[in-house]
Amino acid sequence: RGYASGVNQGMALLQTELILALNPDTYFLRNNMQLVREWFADKPRVGVVGLKLVNPDGSLQYSARQF
């Protein structure tokens, strides 16, 4: 069923306000998650946020999803 199915199953079991779903090869250059949490707290009608994705060479990685 794949990665997305596993993420969906895991999300269904959680009882948290926010869920961070990442690909297994994701890593952070800086920990800005507190900014994301504050952004959601300030905008309660927002349901999804997309983080800036950067390739290992520093170029911008475009998401297949458009929100």
Side-chain angles (χ1 to χ4, degrees):
R1 297 180 72 142
Y3 173 76
S5 176
V7 169
N8 289 338
Q9 290 175 4
M11 284 186 194
L13 298 173
L14 294 174
Q15 297 177 358
T16 61
E17 288 186 24
L18 299 174
I19 299 169
L20 177 63
L22 301 170
N23 286 344
D25 61 347
T26 301
Y27 63 93
F28 289 89
L29 299 177
R30 292 182 310 272
N31 183 354
N32 289 335
M33 291 313 301
Q34 185 58 35
L35 294 174
V36 174
R37 293 175 60 94
E38 291 169 4
W39 199 82
F40 271 113
D42 290 342
K43 296 165 180 55
R45 295 185 59 193
V46 172
V48 176
V49 65
L51 303 176
K52 181 179 180 181
L53 305 174
V54 180
N55 292 312
D57 67 0
S59 63
L60 185 62
Q61 183 181 115
Y62 295 98
S63 173
R65 302 279 182 220
Q66 296 181 1
F67 299 106

